[in-house]
Structure formats: structure tokens, C-alpha cells
Amino acid sequence: MSAQVQSKRAQLKEAKLAATAERLEGQSLPAGGKWASAARADALSRLRAMGLPGRRDEYWKYTRPDTLTQAEAPAAAVFANDEAPVFGEIDRVKIVFVDGVFSAEESDALDLAGVEIERLTDAGGKDIHWAKDIYGVLEARGQDPVERPLAAYNTAFASDGVVIRVTGKAEKPVSLIYRHESESSDAVLHHVIKLEEGADLTLLENGPAAARFNKVLEVELADGAAFHHVRAQGRDHERRAVTHIFARLGREATFKSFTLTVNGKLTRNECVIEFTGDEAVAHVAGACLGDGDFVHDDTVFITHDAEDCESRQVFKKVLRNGATGVFQGKILVKPGAQRTDGYQKSQSLLLDDDSQFLAKPELEIYADDVACSHGSTSGAIDEEALFYLRSRGVPSPEATDLLTLAFLAEAVEEVEDARLAEEITGRLEGWLTRRRD
Amino acid sequence: MLEIKGLKVKLEEEDKQILKGVDLTVEAGKVHAIMGPNGSGKSTLSYVLSGRDGYEVTGGSATLDGEDLLELEPEERAALGLFLAFQYPVEIPGVGNMTFLRTAVNAQRKARGQEEMSATEFLKVIREKAKTLKIDADMLKRPVNVGFSGGEKKRNEILQMAMLEPKMCILDETDSGLDVDAMKLVADGVNALRDAGRGFLVITHYQRLLDHIKPDVVHIMADGRIVKTGGPELALEVENNGYADILAEVAA
């Protein structure tokens, strides 16, 4: 690197840090925490040293971060509909947040055998708490080798959230419901989940949360623990969201996460997974449907630092009327992570010429006995298949929907629970049917 | 039933005339066969009738029971009672065979203003029909044609035909890629559907399929036209002497 380039970079970084300092001026950390206050202060220092993301950042090359970092949340109309609520038929423990604030009134009693649930604000005020070893800790680990400043921002400023410790097999899912009521709400939530050895939990999340939503979920899985995560992001057209999942897996742990996204002006979902124990499994999948003013970004970073682990990424995007899909997925296999099985698939179905898919799949491997593969494609509806269906009497819009669902099926199949998978498929069908030509 | 008059068709993308004036009438209750050498336009005729993209009609007409087929979308032609058994049935990953068939049956019923078939009734009917075609439950559950052998794909075409009960069936080289046993199974399936209200147009290279599906009328197609029409004996003549003699005779 020439001295000139170096000096230019230093200048840019300096400007970025100055802009970040200005942006954060006058914004104070939430009060009332004991160990949490220390974690927040640490996160704020991390953030000040990194600076908020800008267009020039390589990691934000495809998605503009400005509306996520600016002081005010851009307004977003509340999406009203009279459809059956997502996961409404599932027996679960409901925890409701309205514009990013926990609502005891609307939530169920936080009572579930083998599961301890507390509000972050309560846990943070205690002298000693298990969550201390996770809150902001996994996030901080996830800052290397790629910086994720909006996650550090979250750790510093999160105003609410839940901490959940699971000691056994939870008999029903915990369901986080994010309601959006105010057009200009700006929600910052941070959840921490700890699964003890052999514990098993299904976590559901749904709803838009706010006009702008910044959420971090940190999940620590002890040996043999299993975590199932199914999320349906809210349908409000103008909402924006940046979410991070940081997961650390012990030996023989299982982590499975699926996200459905329809609508939303901007969504960036980051998922950072670290294998620390052998023979663990992590699957991350997503299906998204975007129509028009829609940007959806899946950014995944999986670090294999143990032997015989399996990671699988399956992301499918259906885009039309100028919608944009982004995929940045990386598998890092560290020295000694032998017999790693890494699979990554990201595909888009472009329903017209105006839509675009930007993909950056990456493999970085430092072990010699591994099987890693990745495939990224974008294409249109298969004309042969469409004609075949039409020749049997299926009208063109219906046939297109059938093929679209078929395209998404591989991602939805990652949802293990049949009822939840059915729920997701039903939502996809509903969205497609409402938009038939 | 099916009436084709002076049909002229060229490829949309290039200036190549494929059909140069085809005249053909298939009456209800009859089986017509079209034979002809490669490139004579047989498959093009089947695609144009079913409404596939990529062709431009430059002259003539094609009607089914008086309705102008060429003006209709492929799904409208299907609802009207036209069925094409594909030479190369398409694989559709992710769409279950059963879902596909039920969607098709009910879409056609809806288009005709009929009531949709209930799931139970559909299941009962399809099981029965699948059984006679030796299609097992597994094949019904699998994605459409994915991983099917050549024979299974063709049997699946006939199953679709049996479920949709079209008025006019076009079979495009249904015998290609079939061994003798599979061909017999397919032919039995077709013969079971023969009745006074239904017309068939069987496109084939070889006479052997016609041993099993006995045609009433045989047409020879060459260079985009029907050049000779006769009875079943015409197929035998082709089998014994090839196309050369007939083509020479027509040219003379």
C-alpha cells in the first residue's frame, strides 16, 4: 500500500470517527444497570473506536447503512390487516414488545418449566447474574475479523429485551412478538439466551417492532444443547431493521435458525456463528419475498474452530418490481478444524429485469481435510416448466406462484417442526396470492 | 372436432418456415396417426396447437369444436379439452406430483364453471387410475417427473390425461424411450380412454406403437405438409419400405 493511500485511509477513518462522535453526542446510556452498565460502556468504547458504518465500508458495499445510522428513525406507516396472527395457532409463551417496550399486560406469565425468563432491565440491575458472561461478550467476539458497529451500538443502547436461561427441554416455544404502533418509533432490543447442557428451546419471533428496529440476539449453547429459531419479520412496507444473531456452540450442540421476510424497505440480518466444540451442527436459512421498494441483506459469518462440525446456509430470495437482494456469506475454517462440512447456497428468483441480486459467497479454509461447497445463482422462472403447467390448465399467475413456492421450498424445509413449516408456507402462499397479476 | 386448415407456421426467432400449409381433421371417436421423417414438422404441429411460445402462425386456422385455438392461452386450450402428452415431460423440482395434478384438475374445472374436486374424491380417483398404470404411491408424492425413468415419465403423462379427461388428445412420440412392456402399458392406458366423444392425434416415427394403439387414419407428414393420407396399411408400408418410396411417389 502506498503512503498516499494509507494517509487517505487514515483521513477517512478519522472523519468517520468524528461523525460517529457527533452522532452519539448527547445520547446517554440507559441507566439503572450494574454489570450491564459496564458492558454498555465497553460497547460504547468499541463503537467509538470503529465508527458507525458508512457507504465506503466494504461490508456495506451493497446495502446503504445511512437510514440505519442516522439520528432519527425514518417514519414508517403501521401496516394494518385482519389476517390471523403469525404463529397464532401454536401453543407458546408470548412475550410482547410494543414499539420496543416490554408490555406485561399483553404478555403471558413468564412461566415455563426448565426455562428462566427475565426482563433485561431487571437482570441488568442485579449484582451477580449469569447473563453477565454473555451480554455483549458474544457480540464483542463477533467484531473480529469483521466489524459490526451497529451490534455494538445495540449493546450500548438497548433499552429492553429478555434474558432466558434454559436448563431442560422447554415444553413449548417462547414467542417474542414485536408490535409496531407509532409511525416514528425506534426500537433497540437485546436478548440473551443461555442453553445449559442438553437443554432444548424453540424461539419464535415475529412482527415489525418499530419504524426502525435494531436487535441483537446472543445465544450460548452448552454441550448437547439444541436451539430452534423461527422468525417472521413484519410486513410493514416502510419499516427498517438491522438484526444480529451471535451464537457460540459447544460440543454436539444444534443450532437452527430460519427467517421469513416479506416487505420492509430495508432489512439487514447478520448471523455470526462460532463452533467451539466438536460435532456440532448449525443451519441458517432464509426465504424472502420482495416487491418494489425492498432491500434485503443476509450477511452470515460462520467460524469453524472445532472438528467434525456441520454448517449449512440456505437462502432463497424472490424479487420483483425493482426489489434488491443481497447475500454475503462466509465460511471460515480455522487450522485444525478437520472434517468440517460446510455448505452454502444462496439463490434468487428474479421475476423481472428490474430486480437485482448481489451475492458475495466466500470460503476461507486453513484445514486440509474439509468438505466445503457454495453455490450462488440468480435466474428467472423456468419457461419450460411454466408452459408444462399451463398446458395442463393451470393459469399463468397460479403456475408462476407454484414454481415460486417450489423455489423457496428448500429454505422452508430447514424448519424442522412441521406445524411451523406449514405456517411459513401458508404465509408465503398468502403473500403470492394477494399479488397475483 | 379438431380442424386444421392451411396452417402455416414459422419460428419466431428466425426466418424459418416449419409448417407450410397443414390440413387435417380429427373426428370425435377417431384415432389419427401422423408419421413422418425427422424435421417434417410433427412436433411443431403439436406445440403450436397447445400454445407454446416461439412460433408465429403466418396463415391458416386451427379450431377445436369450432373455437379458435390459436387465439387462446395454453391454459384456456387445456380447459377447452386439449391435451398434449409431451415427448419430453418436464421435471419440476419442489412441486409434488399430486399437488400438481390436483391444481390442474381443479383449475380446469373452475375455468369450465364446474365445482372443484374435493381432496377425498381426488385421492380416490387418482389412486384407482394410478394403479392401472402401475404408478405407485411414491411416484405420486415425488416432485413432478424428478428422478422418473423414461417409462415412468410417459406413464405419468398418461395418468394426467386420464385425470383431466380431455376431448382431444395429442400424443407426441409417446413411444420414444420406451421398451416393449412400457409401451404396452402406455398403449393400454390410451386405449382405455378411447370412446365416441374423444379424438386422438398420435404422432410417431415408428409403426410399432400403432400395433398397440390401432389408428383409424394414418397421415404422412413431410416438409411441413401432410403428403399422404390412408388407412392403417399406410403405417405398415412405412414400416416395410421406409419413407423414401412414399416421398418419391408424392414428389413424382
Side-chain angles (χ1 to χ4, degrees), chain A residues 382-398 402-403 405-407 409, chain B residues 50-52 73-75 78 83-84 86 90 92-95 100 103-104 107-108 145 157 160:
Chain A
D382 179 352
E383 289 296 329
E384 289 283 316
L386 185 63
F387 174 64
Y388 191 65
L389 289 167
R390 294 178 72 191
S391 79
R392 298 304 182 242
V394 184
S396 185
E398 223 174 314
L402 208 54
L403 295 173
L405 281 175
F407 166 78
Chain B
S50 56
R52 191 192 183 107
E73 296 295 333
E75 55 268 33
F83 182 90
L84 169 66
F86 282 53
V90 181
I92 313 182
V95 178
F100 159 64
T103 307
Q108 291 203 14
N145 294 323
E157 292 292 289
Q160 292 168 40

Short mmCIF file of all heavy atoms in Angstrom, two decimals, chain A residues 382-398 402-403 405-407 409, chain B residues 50-52 73-75 78 83-84 86 90 92-95 100 103-104 107-108 145 157 160:
data_model
loop_
_atom_site.label_atom_id
_atom_site.label_comp_id
_atom_site.label_asym_id
_atom_site.label_seq_id
_atom_site.Cartn_x
_atom_site.Cartn_y
_atom_site.Cartn_z
N ASP A 382 -38.58 -20.78 -14.79
CA ASP A 382 -38.28 -21.75 -15.83
C ASP A 382 -39.45 -21.80 -16.83
O ASP A 382 -40.54 -22.27 -16.51
CB ASP A 382 -38.07 -23.12 -15.16
CG ASP A 382 -37.78 -24.23 -16.16
OD1 ASP A 382 -37.90 -23.99 -17.38
OD2 ASP A 382 -37.45 -25.34 -15.71
N GLU A 383 -39.20 -21.30 -18.04
CA GLU A 383 -40.26 -21.18 -19.04
C GLU A 383 -40.84 -22.54 -19.44
O GLU A 383 -42.02 -22.67 -19.72
CB GLU A 383 -39.76 -20.45 -20.28
CG GLU A 383 -39.51 -18.96 -20.07
CD GLU A 383 -40.79 -18.16 -19.74
OE1 GLU A 383 -41.87 -18.56 -20.22
OE2 GLU A 383 -40.68 -17.18 -19.00
N GLU A 384 -39.96 -23.54 -19.49
CA GLU A 384 -40.41 -24.89 -19.86
C GLU A 384 -41.43 -25.41 -18.84
O GLU A 384 -42.47 -25.94 -19.20
CB GLU A 384 -39.22 -25.85 -19.88
CG GLU A 384 -38.25 -25.65 -21.01
CD GLU A 384 -38.80 -26.21 -22.31
OE1 GLU A 384 -39.35 -27.33 -22.28
OE2 GLU A 384 -38.68 -25.53 -23.35
N ALA A 385 -41.06 -25.24 -17.57
CA ALA A 385 -41.94 -25.71 -16.50
C ALA A 385 -43.25 -24.92 -16.51
O ALA A 385 -44.33 -25.48 -16.31
CB ALA A 385 -41.24 -25.58 -15.15
N LEU A 386 -43.13 -23.62 -16.76
CA LEU A 386 -44.33 -22.78 -16.78
C LEU A 386 -45.28 -23.23 -17.90
O LEU A 386 -46.49 -23.37 -17.68
CB LEU A 386 -43.92 -21.32 -16.99
CG LEU A 386 -45.04 -20.28 -16.93
CD1 LEU A 386 -45.68 -20.25 -15.53
CD2 LEU A 386 -44.51 -18.89 -17.27
N PHE A 387 -44.72 -23.50 -19.07
CA PHE A 387 -45.57 -23.96 -20.18
C PHE A 387 -46.21 -25.31 -19.87
O PHE A 387 -47.38 -25.56 -20.15
CB PHE A 387 -44.78 -24.03 -21.48
CG PHE A 387 -45.57 -24.62 -22.62
CD1 PHE A 387 -46.70 -23.98 -23.10
CD2 PHE A 387 -45.22 -25.84 -23.17
CE1 PHE A 387 -47.47 -24.53 -24.12
CE2 PHE A 387 -45.99 -26.41 -24.19
CZ PHE A 387 -47.11 -25.74 -24.66
N TYR A 388 -45.42 -26.17 -19.27
CA TYR A 388 -45.93 -27.50 -18.92
C TYR A 388 -47.16 -27.38 -18.01
O TYR A 388 -48.19 -28.00 -18.24
CB TYR A 388 -44.82 -28.28 -18.24
CG TYR A 388 -45.09 -29.76 -18.03
CD1 TYR A 388 -45.23 -30.62 -19.12
CD2 TYR A 388 -45.18 -30.31 -16.76
CE1 TYR A 388 -45.44 -31.97 -18.93
CE2 TYR A 388 -45.39 -31.67 -16.56
CZ TYR A 388 -45.53 -32.50 -17.66
OH TYR A 388 -45.74 -33.84 -17.48
N LEU A 389 -47.03 -26.52 -16.97
CA LEU A 389 -48.15 -26.33 -16.05
C LEU A 389 -49.35 -25.71 -16.76
O LEU A 389 -50.50 -26.12 -16.55
CB LEU A 389 -47.72 -25.43 -14.89
CG LEU A 389 -46.75 -26.04 -13.88
CD1 LEU A 389 -46.16 -24.98 -12.97
CD2 LEU A 389 -47.45 -27.10 -13.05
N ARG A 390 -49.08 -24.72 -17.60
CA ARG A 390 -50.18 -24.06 -18.30
C ARG A 390 -50.87 -25.01 -19.26
O ARG A 390 -52.09 -24.99 -19.43
CB ARG A 390 -49.67 -22.82 -19.04
CG ARG A 390 -49.18 -21.74 -18.10
CD ARG A 390 -48.63 -20.56 -18.86
NE ARG A 390 -49.70 -19.81 -19.50
CZ ARG A 390 -49.49 -18.85 -20.40
NH1 ARG A 390 -48.27 -18.51 -20.76
NH2 ARG A 390 -50.52 -18.21 -20.93
N SER A 391 -50.08 -25.87 -19.90
CA SER A 391 -50.66 -26.81 -20.87
C SER A 391 -51.59 -27.80 -20.17
O SER A 391 -52.38 -28.48 -20.80
CB SER A 391 -49.56 -27.56 -21.62
OG SER A 391 -49.05 -28.60 -20.81
N ARG A 392 -51.46 -27.89 -18.83
CA ARG A 392 -52.36 -28.77 -18.07
C ARG A 392 -53.54 -27.99 -17.51
O ARG A 392 -54.32 -28.52 -16.71
CB ARG A 392 -51.59 -29.44 -16.92
CG ARG A 392 -50.45 -30.34 -17.39
CD ARG A 392 -50.94 -31.39 -18.37
NE ARG A 392 -49.90 -32.31 -18.82
CZ ARG A 392 -49.51 -32.43 -20.08
NH1 ARG A 392 -50.04 -31.67 -21.04
NH2 ARG A 392 -48.60 -33.32 -20.42
N GLY A 393 -53.59 -26.70 -17.87
CA GLY A 393 -54.77 -25.93 -17.47
C GLY A 393 -54.54 -24.99 -16.29
O GLY A 393 -55.46 -24.33 -15.85
N VAL A 394 -53.31 -24.96 -15.75
CA VAL A 394 -53.05 -24.08 -14.62
C VAL A 394 -52.77 -22.67 -15.17
O VAL A 394 -51.81 -22.49 -15.91
CB VAL A 394 -51.85 -24.57 -13.79
CG1 VAL A 394 -51.66 -23.69 -12.56
CG2 VAL A 394 -52.03 -26.03 -13.38
N PRO A 395 -53.59 -21.68 -14.81
CA PRO A 395 -53.38 -20.34 -15.36
C PRO A 395 -52.00 -19.78 -15.00
O PRO A 395 -51.45 -20.12 -13.96
CB PRO A 395 -54.49 -19.51 -14.70
CG PRO A 395 -55.53 -20.50 -14.29
CD PRO A 395 -54.77 -21.75 -13.95
N SER A 396 -51.50 -18.93 -15.85
CA SER A 396 -50.13 -18.44 -15.72
C SER A 396 -49.79 -17.87 -14.33
O SER A 396 -48.75 -18.22 -13.77
CB SER A 396 -49.88 -17.40 -16.80
OG SER A 396 -48.55 -17.00 -16.76
N PRO A 397 -50.62 -17.01 -13.74
CA PRO A 397 -50.24 -16.48 -12.42
C PRO A 397 -50.15 -17.57 -11.35
O PRO A 397 -49.25 -17.57 -10.53
CB PRO A 397 -51.38 -15.51 -12.08
CG PRO A 397 -52.10 -15.25 -13.35
CD PRO A 397 -51.89 -16.44 -14.22
N GLU A 398 -51.09 -18.50 -11.42
CA GLU A 398 -51.09 -19.59 -10.45
C GLU A 398 -49.88 -20.50 -10.66
O GLU A 398 -49.25 -20.96 -9.70
CB GLU A 398 -52.37 -20.40 -10.66
CG GLU A 398 -53.08 -20.80 -9.40
CD GLU A 398 -54.40 -21.47 -9.73
OE1 GLU A 398 -55.14 -20.94 -10.59
OE2 GLU A 398 -54.68 -22.52 -9.14
N LEU A 402 -46.83 -21.33 -8.09
CA LEU A 402 -46.48 -22.71 -7.75
C LEU A 402 -44.97 -22.92 -7.90
O LEU A 402 -44.31 -23.51 -7.06
CB LEU A 402 -47.25 -23.65 -8.70
CG LEU A 402 -47.60 -25.05 -8.23
CD1 LEU A 402 -48.34 -25.03 -6.91
CD2 LEU A 402 -48.45 -25.76 -9.28
N LEU A 403 -44.42 -22.38 -8.99
CA LEU A 403 -42.98 -22.51 -9.24
C LEU A 403 -42.18 -21.66 -8.24
O LEU A 403 -41.08 -22.03 -7.84
CB LEU A 403 -42.64 -22.10 -10.67
CG LEU A 403 -43.24 -23.03 -11.74
CD1 LEU A 403 -43.00 -22.47 -13.14
CD2 LEU A 403 -42.64 -24.43 -11.63
N LEU A 405 -43.10 -20.97 -5.10
CA LEU A 405 -43.11 -21.73 -3.84
C LEU A 405 -42.14 -22.90 -3.90
O LEU A 405 -41.46 -23.21 -2.92
CB LEU A 405 -44.52 -22.24 -3.54
CG LEU A 405 -45.50 -21.23 -2.96
CD1 LEU A 405 -46.87 -21.86 -2.84
CD2 LEU A 405 -45.03 -20.74 -1.60
N ALA A 406 -42.08 -23.53 -5.07
CA ALA A 406 -41.16 -24.66 -5.24
C ALA A 406 -39.72 -24.18 -5.08
O ALA A 406 -38.88 -24.86 -4.47
CB ALA A 406 -41.36 -25.29 -6.61
N PHE A 407 -39.44 -23.00 -5.60
CA PHE A 407 -38.10 -22.42 -5.48
C PHE A 407 -37.74 -22.18 -4.01
O PHE A 407 -36.62 -22.42 -3.57
CB PHE A 407 -38.05 -21.12 -6.28
CG PHE A 407 -36.85 -20.26 -6.00
CD1 PHE A 407 -35.61 -20.57 -6.55
CD2 PHE A 407 -36.95 -19.16 -5.17
CE1 PHE A 407 -34.50 -19.78 -6.28
CE2 PHE A 407 -35.85 -18.37 -4.88
CZ PHE A 407 -34.63 -18.68 -5.44
N ALA A 409 -39.00 -23.69 -1.43
CA ALA A 409 -39.23 -24.87 -0.58
C ALA A 409 -37.96 -25.35 0.12
O ALA A 409 -38.00 -25.72 1.29
CB ALA A 409 -39.84 -25.99 -1.40
N SER B 50 -50.90 -26.60 -28.87
CA SER B 50 -51.04 -26.46 -27.42
C SER B 50 -50.64 -25.07 -26.92
O SER B 50 -50.86 -24.75 -25.75
CB SER B 50 -50.26 -27.55 -26.69
OG SER B 50 -48.92 -27.51 -27.08
N GLY B 51 -50.04 -24.26 -27.80
CA GLY B 51 -49.83 -22.86 -27.44
C GLY B 51 -48.46 -22.51 -26.91
O GLY B 51 -48.30 -21.53 -26.18
N ARG B 52 -47.46 -23.29 -27.29
CA ARG B 52 -46.12 -22.99 -26.81
C ARG B 52 -45.56 -21.74 -27.48
O ARG B 52 -45.84 -21.46 -28.64
CB ARG B 52 -45.22 -24.19 -27.16
CG ARG B 52 -43.87 -24.16 -26.51
CD ARG B 52 -43.00 -25.22 -27.18
NE ARG B 52 -41.70 -25.28 -26.54
CZ ARG B 52 -41.31 -26.26 -25.74
NH1 ARG B 52 -42.10 -27.26 -25.49
NH2 ARG B 52 -40.11 -26.22 -25.19
N GLU B 73 -54.90 -18.74 -24.74
CA GLU B 73 -53.72 -19.05 -23.91
C GLU B 73 -53.66 -20.57 -23.74
O GLU B 73 -54.69 -21.24 -23.81
CB GLU B 73 -53.87 -18.40 -22.52
CG GLU B 73 -53.91 -16.88 -22.52
CD GLU B 73 -52.59 -16.27 -22.98
OE1 GLU B 73 -51.53 -16.92 -22.82
OE2 GLU B 73 -52.63 -15.15 -23.53
N PRO B 74 -52.46 -21.09 -23.44
CA PRO B 74 -52.34 -22.54 -23.28
C PRO B 74 -53.33 -23.12 -22.26
O PRO B 74 -53.92 -24.17 -22.50
CB PRO B 74 -50.90 -22.72 -22.79
CG PRO B 74 -50.18 -21.52 -23.24
CD PRO B 74 -51.17 -20.40 -23.28
N GLU B 75 -53.52 -22.40 -21.13
CA GLU B 75 -54.42 -22.93 -20.10
C GLU B 75 -55.88 -22.92 -20.56
O GLU B 75 -56.68 -23.76 -20.15
CB GLU B 75 -54.27 -22.16 -18.78
CG GLU B 75 -54.44 -20.65 -18.85
CD GLU B 75 -53.12 -19.91 -19.07
OE1 GLU B 75 -52.22 -20.46 -19.76
OE2 GLU B 75 -52.99 -18.79 -18.54
N ALA B 78 -56.36 -25.91 -22.71
CA ALA B 78 -56.48 -27.10 -21.87
C ALA B 78 -57.89 -27.21 -21.31
O ALA B 78 -58.49 -28.28 -21.32
CB ALA B 78 -55.44 -27.05 -20.75
N PHE B 83 -55.29 -31.71 -24.90
CA PHE B 83 -54.21 -32.25 -24.06
C PHE B 83 -53.04 -32.69 -24.93
O PHE B 83 -53.21 -33.38 -25.93
CB PHE B 83 -54.70 -33.46 -23.26
CG PHE B 83 -53.66 -34.04 -22.34
CD1 PHE B 83 -53.53 -33.58 -21.04
CD2 PHE B 83 -52.80 -35.03 -22.79
CE1 PHE B 83 -52.56 -34.11 -20.19
CE2 PHE B 83 -51.82 -35.56 -21.95
CZ PHE B 83 -51.71 -35.10 -20.65
N LEU B 84 -51.85 -32.29 -24.53
CA LEU B 84 -50.65 -32.75 -25.23
C LEU B 84 -49.83 -33.61 -24.29
O LEU B 84 -49.41 -33.16 -23.21
CB LEU B 84 -49.80 -31.54 -25.69
CG LEU B 84 -48.40 -31.87 -26.20
CD1 LEU B 84 -48.44 -32.69 -27.49
CD2 LEU B 84 -47.58 -30.60 -26.42
N PHE B 86 -46.42 -34.83 -23.67
CA PHE B 86 -45.12 -34.33 -24.15
C PHE B 86 -44.17 -35.45 -24.56
O PHE B 86 -44.14 -36.51 -23.93
CB PHE B 86 -44.43 -33.51 -23.04
CG PHE B 86 -44.97 -32.11 -22.87
CD1 PHE B 86 -46.32 -31.88 -22.69
CD2 PHE B 86 -44.11 -31.02 -22.88
CE1 PHE B 86 -46.81 -30.59 -22.51
CE2 PHE B 86 -44.58 -29.73 -22.70
CZ PHE B 86 -45.94 -29.52 -22.52
N VAL B 90 -41.57 -32.43 -18.62
CA VAL B 90 -40.69 -31.51 -17.90
C VAL B 90 -40.59 -31.88 -16.41
O VAL B 90 -41.59 -32.22 -15.79
CB VAL B 90 -41.23 -30.07 -18.05
CG1 VAL B 90 -40.33 -29.07 -17.35
CG2 VAL B 90 -41.37 -29.73 -19.53
N ILE B 92 -40.19 -30.82 -12.62
CA ILE B 92 -40.44 -29.62 -11.82
C ILE B 92 -40.07 -29.88 -10.36
O ILE B 92 -40.91 -30.31 -9.58
CB ILE B 92 -41.91 -29.16 -11.93
CG1 ILE B 92 -42.35 -29.13 -13.40
CG2 ILE B 92 -42.07 -27.78 -11.30
CD1 ILE B 92 -43.77 -28.64 -13.60
N PRO B 93 -38.83 -29.61 -9.98
CA PRO B 93 -38.42 -29.84 -8.59
C PRO B 93 -39.24 -28.97 -7.64
O PRO B 93 -39.56 -27.83 -7.97
CB PRO B 93 -36.95 -29.39 -8.56
CG PRO B 93 -36.52 -29.29 -9.99
CD PRO B 93 -37.76 -29.02 -10.79
N GLY B 94 -39.60 -29.52 -6.51
CA GLY B 94 -40.29 -28.73 -5.49
C GLY B 94 -41.81 -28.74 -5.61
O GLY B 94 -42.49 -28.29 -4.71
N VAL B 95 -42.33 -29.24 -6.73
CA VAL B 95 -43.79 -29.33 -6.87
C VAL B 95 -44.18 -30.81 -6.86
O VAL B 95 -43.79 -31.56 -7.74
CB VAL B 95 -44.30 -28.67 -8.17
CG1 VAL B 95 -45.81 -28.83 -8.30
CG2 VAL B 95 -43.92 -27.19 -8.22
N PHE B 100 -49.61 -30.98 -8.11
CA PHE B 100 -49.65 -30.53 -9.50
C PHE B 100 -50.93 -31.00 -10.18
O PHE B 100 -51.67 -30.21 -10.78
CB PHE B 100 -48.39 -31.07 -10.21
CG PHE B 100 -48.47 -31.15 -11.70
CD1 PHE B 100 -48.62 -30.00 -12.47
CD2 PHE B 100 -48.37 -32.38 -12.34
CE1 PHE B 100 -48.68 -30.08 -13.86
CE2 PHE B 100 -48.42 -32.46 -13.72
CZ PHE B 100 -48.59 -31.31 -14.48
N THR B 103 -54.07 -29.37 -8.66
CA THR B 103 -54.17 -27.97 -9.09
C THR B 103 -54.69 -27.90 -10.52
O THR B 103 -55.55 -27.09 -10.85
CB THR B 103 -52.78 -27.30 -9.01
OG1 THR B 103 -52.25 -27.51 -7.71
CG2 THR B 103 -52.87 -25.81 -9.27
N ALA B 104 -54.17 -28.79 -11.37
CA ALA B 104 -54.56 -28.78 -12.79
C ALA B 104 -56.03 -29.17 -12.96
O ALA B 104 -56.79 -28.50 -13.65
CB ALA B 104 -53.65 -29.73 -13.58
N ALA B 107 -58.19 -26.36 -11.60
CA ALA B 107 -58.11 -25.15 -12.43
C ALA B 107 -59.00 -25.30 -13.66
O ALA B 107 -59.72 -24.39 -14.05
CB ALA B 107 -56.66 -24.88 -12.83
N GLN B 108 -58.95 -26.49 -14.27
CA GLN B 108 -59.79 -26.73 -15.46
C GLN B 108 -61.27 -26.72 -15.10
O GLN B 108 -62.09 -26.16 -15.81
CB GLN B 108 -59.41 -28.06 -16.11
CG GLN B 108 -58.04 -28.02 -16.75
CD GLN B 108 -57.88 -29.07 -17.83
OE1 GLN B 108 -58.84 -29.67 -18.28
NE2 GLN B 108 -56.64 -29.30 -18.25
N ASN B 145 -42.07 -35.55 -12.19
CA ASN B 145 -41.11 -36.14 -13.12
C ASN B 145 -39.66 -36.17 -12.67
O ASN B 145 -38.78 -36.63 -13.39
CB ASN B 145 -41.17 -35.43 -14.50
CG ASN B 145 -42.50 -35.67 -15.19
OD1 ASN B 145 -43.06 -36.76 -15.10
ND2 ASN B 145 -43.00 -34.66 -15.89
N GLU B 157 -47.55 -39.03 -17.93
CA GLU B 157 -48.29 -38.23 -18.91
C GLU B 157 -49.69 -38.82 -19.12
O GLU B 157 -50.68 -38.10 -19.19
CB GLU B 157 -47.55 -38.19 -20.26
CG GLU B 157 -46.24 -37.44 -20.26
CD GLU B 157 -46.43 -35.94 -20.07
OE1 GLU B 157 -46.92 -35.26 -20.97
OE2 GLU B 157 -46.07 -35.47 -18.98
N GLN B 160 -51.95 -38.16 -16.24
CA GLN B 160 -52.51 -36.79 -16.31
C GLN B 160 -53.67 -36.74 -17.28
O GLN B 160 -54.70 -36.11 -17.04
CB GLN B 160 -51.42 -35.80 -16.74
CG GLN B 160 -50.32 -35.61 -15.71
CD GLN B 160 -49.13 -34.87 -16.28
OE1 GLN B 160 -49.26 -33.92 -17.04
NE2 GLN B 160 -47.94 -35.33 -15.92
#
